[in-house]
Amino acid sequence: MCGIVGYVGKRDCTEVLMNGLRKLEYRGYDSAGIAVFQNGEITVAKSKGRLDDLEERMKQDGAPIGQVGIGHTRWATHGEPSDVNSHPHSGGRVTIVHNGIIENYKEIKDFLITKGVSFDSDTDTEVVARLLDYRYNGSPIQTISETVRDLKGSYALGIIFADHPEQVYTVRCESPLIVGVGELESFIASDVLAIIEYTRNYYLLEHEEIAVLGRDGVHIYDAFGQPVQKELKTADWDVETIGKGGYAHFMLKEIHEQPTAIRNTIRPRIRDGLPNLEECGITLEVLRAFRHIHIIACGTAMHAGTVGKYVIEKLACVQVTVDIASEFRYRDPLVGEGDLVIIISQSGETADSLVAMRLAKKLGAKTLAIVNAMGSSIAREADMLIYTYAGPEIAVASTKAYMVQIAVMYLFAFELALAVGKIDETKCRSFVHLLEQTPDVISEILNHKEQTQYIASSLITADSLLYIGRGLDYALSMEGSLKLKEISYIHSESYAAGELKHGTISLITENMPVIAVATQKALWEKTISNIKEVKARGAKVILVCRKSDVVDKDAVDMRFGLPDFDDMLMPMIAVVPLQLIAYYTSVLKGNDVDKPRNLAKSVTVE
Ligand code: M6R
């Protein structure tokens, strides 16, 4: 998704903006630009492509020199990636950068055309710049406040006015934006990461709040231009936490951070050996009140929810449905009072999930958010909240966030099963104890991961792959398959192993490797039969199972041996080799592992 940075202070603004934009690269983008006041005039530099392309352009044309400005990385929505469609966009006296989508841009554009306004780009952003300019009466706050009332959609804007060269203005509606406060300097950014090397203090802007940044500090106003007082927050991450820490890629670092992320997430929620989610607003009484649970999420978070469904239904015998957030909203869902809707999201800003959560609330359900990003929209709007403590996840391919989402799903399932009397305290303690052991088991895998590189090297020439499994292994296959396709660009699908024979097996040839996951003892024989079916049709089979499992040599070509562990918690263990196989395949193919093409880390458009 697009990234915004803005600066007012004493430093070299171009350098601050470019540094900040580099920190936001993980969000995904296809063009970039900055606008800086140079000798009182707004100077714009922008380019299609990566930040290196913009830097190259500035080397040739001269980089703007100044101390006040705004910058942007664009992920194209309206209009192709091109120099002209890149932000910033100017509308005369007003220059802006924009994150999000203006749904009624066409209507506004038509109106402005009737007023003689002309346009250079295809973007919805230029429409906002021109509308602001059309309305501008010398008072930026009043103009912004009046203009945003006409905008429909989600947006965060960074704005500079040609006749206010000492200020940056900003306003947000749905799309995230923070305002950083330093010593005689201030910042705006889509993410704290962009400014953390300069300041840890920041304000979270609420819906339709407007901020004015100057060297004398930050002033914040509500949608009607009335001043508001806000709590200054402090980010507690250090710069090392957000660097690569010696790893070749963020993804590899984040895979290795999983044991710590699990410990950080579960420890505060375990008391006397039992799950305790009271600080999140979840007590045994609250849990007993729910008759049905809906889990809503997207992508990897939805896969974590799928693991949750298997575990909750098995342990607590409460019915769970899992929905893709973008489908939930449009299928007249049967959700209402007495239901619990769990929203899982790393970023807490995914538009599909946020909108689905609002709908669930409107229908009378209670909502519980499982979110990694502090203070994000989903975290703020949910009735109950469990933060996952994975720390910042930079790689677009989610790994440690998935891990802690599952860890929370287990804790939740244990507590629910206890609440509804399906397990007693002794059983519950034994489950919690197993969960506490998972970080050590994962570390063991991370210390012996060479086999995953070997497996990856056998996959790089494949055009297409299948991941198969049964039960929890099927839930896990979905995640393995998504991980591989998003960063290796090799097509892959996950299939319930028993479903193959109903159609998909016709795809099997010697050119279609199959990655089979078999960690569930009760399903072992059945999965092995399915493996033999694909092997007999020429597939190269890679099996992920326990080291101790005895497999017929002719049935598989390669295998990854997992440490012995409890069946129910195996998804947390077995996902690690799947993440590593995807990672090394991407590395071997020479792809941009942390920033795969066409993808964004935080998807803030529906
Ligand atoms: O921030 P969220 O957890 O809501 O994001 C949901 C998906 O967009 C995300 O998990 C996506 O599928 C990842 N790129 C997968 O690695």
Side-chain angles (χ1 to χ4, degrees):
M1 279 304 97
C2 308
I4 290 179
V5 185
Y7 179 71
V8 179
K10 296 273 178 222
R11 299 176 201 259
D12 171 352
C13 182
T14 298
E15 193 183 312
V16 175
L17 297 178
M18 292 301 284
N19 275 346
L21 293 177
R22 290 225 179 262
K23 301 279 166 29
L24 298 180
E25 276 194 299
Y26 73 92
R27 298 164 72 89
Y29 69 105
D30 43 50
S31 53
I34 61 172
V36 174
F37 279 104
Q38 176 166 316
N39 302 325
E41 299 282 321
I42 296 174
T43 308
V44 174
K46 55 187 189 174
S47 164
K48 178 186 166 188
R50 314 296 291 178
L51 285 165
D52 289 344
D53 299 307
L54 174 61
E55 215 134 47
E56 196 48 46
R57 174 138 326 166
M58 290 194 291
K59 260 190 216 149
Q60 284 161 18
D61 302 349
I65 299 168
Q67 296 170 327
V68 177
I70 49 180
H72 191 260
T73 45
R74 172 176 187 250
W75 191 77
T77 55
H78 298 70
E80 56 166 16
S82 67
D83 287 355
V84 75
N85 286 335
S86 312
H87 301 207
H89 286 282
S90 294
R93 296 160 293 176
V94 187
T95 298
I96 71 169
V97 290
H98 163 220
N99 183 4
I101 280 182
I102 306 299
E103 286 167 8
N104 59 338
Y105 82 102
K106 184 78 182 61
E107 226 171 288
I108 301 172
K109 189 170 185 173
D110 290 346
F111 162 76
L112 290 172
I113 288 170
T114 64
K115 300 289 171 194
V117 176
S118 58
F119 291 82
D120 300 325
S121 76
D122 306 320
T123 63
D124 50 348
T125 306
E126 190 190 350
V127 175
V128 180
R130 300 236 177 242
L131 182 63
L132 280 162
D133 182 58
Y134 176 76
R135 290 263 172 74
Y136 189 45
N137 58 5
S139 161
I141 301 284
Q142 196 191 355
T143 307
I144 294 170
S145 146
E146 283 173 12
T147 303
V148 295
R149 274 178 233 153
D150 284 339
L151 303 181
K152 289 194 187 124
S154 59
Y155 52 85
L157 303 174
I159 311 167
I160 48 179
F161 290 84
D163 55 350
H164 286 75
E166 298 293 314
Q167 272 86 33
V168 167
Y169 296 81
T170 186
V171 60
R172 69 159 284 221
C173 170
E174 309 291 356
S175 298
L177 200 94
I178 58 108
V179 178
V181 184
E183 193 77 7
L184 296 178
E185 60 185 352
S186 40
F187 307 78
I188 55 170
S190 304
D191 189 322
V192 185
L193 285 176
I195 59 164
I196 201 151
E197 64 178 286
Y198 305 109
T199 181
R200 289 167 184 286
N201 299 326
Y202 67 98
Y203 294 112
L204 269 174
L205 277 197
E206 296 295 337
H207 191 60
E208 288 188 358
E209 279 179 348
I210 302 165
V212 187
L213 286 70
R215 291 197 181 85
D216 61 334
V218 171
H219 303 278
I220 301 177
Y221 302 87
D222 68 13
F224 301 98
Q226 296 304 309
V228 287
Q229 296 301 320
K230 294 187 70 76
E231 180 202 347
L232 194 60
K233 299 192 177 288
T234 306
D236 53 8
W237 308 327
D238 54 30
V239 174
E240 179 56 21
T241 311
I242 57 172
K244 284 189 198 153
Y247 288 93
H249 299 96
F250 281 110
M251 182 177 176
L252 189 60
K253 174 178 176 246
E254 288 160 8
I255 290 173
H256 280 81
E257 284 171 346
Q258 294 184 113
T260 308
I262 299 171
R263 287 189 192 101
N264 290 346
T265 299
I266 64 172
R267 271 188 187 155
R269 281 71 186 255
I270 297 172
R271 227 173 279 162
D272 185 26
L274 290 172
N276 189 309
L277 299 170
E278 264 174 39
E279 50 125 27
C280 314
I282 304 164
T283 60
L284 297 185
E285 290 70 44
V286 167
L287 286 172
R288 281 187 203 113
F290 299 120
R291 56 186 166 93
H292 191 112
I293 296 177
H294 304 263
I295 299 179
I296 304 175
C298 306
T300 286
M302 195 267 294
H303 297 156
T306 309
V307 171
K309 169 188 165 72
Y310 279 90
V311 179
I312 294 169
E313 289 189 342
K314 182 179 169 68
L315 294 183
C317 302
V318 175
Q319 202 186 355
V320 183
T321 46
V322 180
D323 264 291
I324 295 171
S326 54
E327 288 293 310
F328 177 80
R329 185 184 181 192
Y330 298 103
R331 69 164 178 79
D332 299 323
L334 298 175
V335 174
E337 273 180 41
D339 290 352
L340 173 66
V341 170
I342 303 179
I343 311 287
I344 308 178
S345 176
Q346 188 286 126
S347 62
E349 299 292 352
T350 301
D352 289 323
S353 304
L354 180 60
V355 172
M357 182 175 82
R358 287 181 183 154
L359 174 63
K361 278 181 110 169
K362 207 164 132 200
L363 293 171
K366 280 268 174 264
T367 53
L368 162 64
I370 299 175
V371 167
N372 196 47
M374 307 273 159
S376 53
S377 304
I378 293 176
R380 281 185 285 161
E381 291 188 30
D383 299 313
M384 295 170 280
L385 170 65
I386 306 179
Y387 274 125
T388 51
Y389 298 125
E393 189 180 65
I394 309 295
V396 165
S398 181
T399 53
K400 61 177 180 170
Y402 172 80
M403 185 63 87
V404 289
Q405 285 161 355
I406 313 186
V408 167
M409 285 276 94
Y410 281 107
L411 269 186
F412 178 85
F414 300 159
E415 179 145 16
L416 181 64
L418 187 65
V420 297
K422 292 291 172 191
I423 56 171
D424 60 15
E425 286 199 357
T426 311
K427 189 74 195 158
C428 195
R429 277 202 179 86
S430 71
F431 285 148
V432 170
H433 183 55
L434 280 169
L435 183 63
E436 288 177 309
Q437 290 170 34
T438 55
D440 293 336
V441 185
I442 291 167
S443 297
E444 200 182 318
I445 296 181
L446 292 172
N447 290 335
H448 299 95
K449 55 180 182 295
E450 304 72 26
Q451 177 71 355
T452 57
Q453 294 185 34
Y454 177 54
I455 293 173
S457 65
S458 77
L459 298 180
I460 52 172
T461 52
D463 291 328
S464 190
L465 254 96
L466 273 188
Y467 282 73
I468 61 169
R470 285 172 175 259
L472 277 170
D473 291 331
Y474 172 46
L476 191 57
S477 301
M478 294 180 186
E479 177 56 9
S481 168
L482 176 64
K483 215 80 313 171
L484 184 87
K485 71 183 130 194
E486 70 177 327
I487 56 171
S488 76
Y489 313 146
I490 298 174
H491 170 257
S492 91
E493 294 304 329
S494 55
Y495 246 80
E499 178 68 6
L500 276 182
K501 57 186 176 294
H502 298 290
T504 306
I505 202 162
S506 69
L507 292 174
I508 299 290
T509 65
E510 62 279 11
N511 297 323
M512 168 80 90
V514 174
I515 299 191
V517 187
T519 68
Q520 302 297 300
K521 293 193 188 88
L523 300 169
W524 171 258
E525 295 297 340
K526 295 276 179 212
T527 308
I528 292 296
S529 299
N530 300 134
I531 289 173
K532 288 185 174 164
E533 284 162 13
V534 294
K535 187 74 193 136
R537 284 154 183 87
K540 178 165 74 187
V541 175
I542 297 150
L543 176 63
V544 177
C545 64
R546 286 178 179 76
K547 266 187 222 130
S548 56
D549 288 327
V550 181
V551 195
D552 187 352
K553 261 212 324 261
D554 302 334
V556 300
D557 296 271
M558 279 184 239
R559 65 185 268 188
F560 185 90
L562 300 163
D564 270 323
F565 203 59
D566 182 80
D567 273 28
M568 189 178 57
L569 286 139
M570 262 304 189
M572 292 179 72
I573 312 302
V575 74
V576 179
L578 301 185
Q579 294 167 340
L580 288 165
I581 289 169
Y583 170 75
Y584 286 118
T585 309
S586 177
V587 172
L588 290 170
K589 291 194 78 178
N591 295 349
D592 192 346
V593 178
D594 289 331
K595 300 185 288 277
R597 69 183 178 209
N598 305 339
L599 286 176
K601 181 70 184 162
S602 174
V603 186
T604 51
V605 290
E606 267 191 88

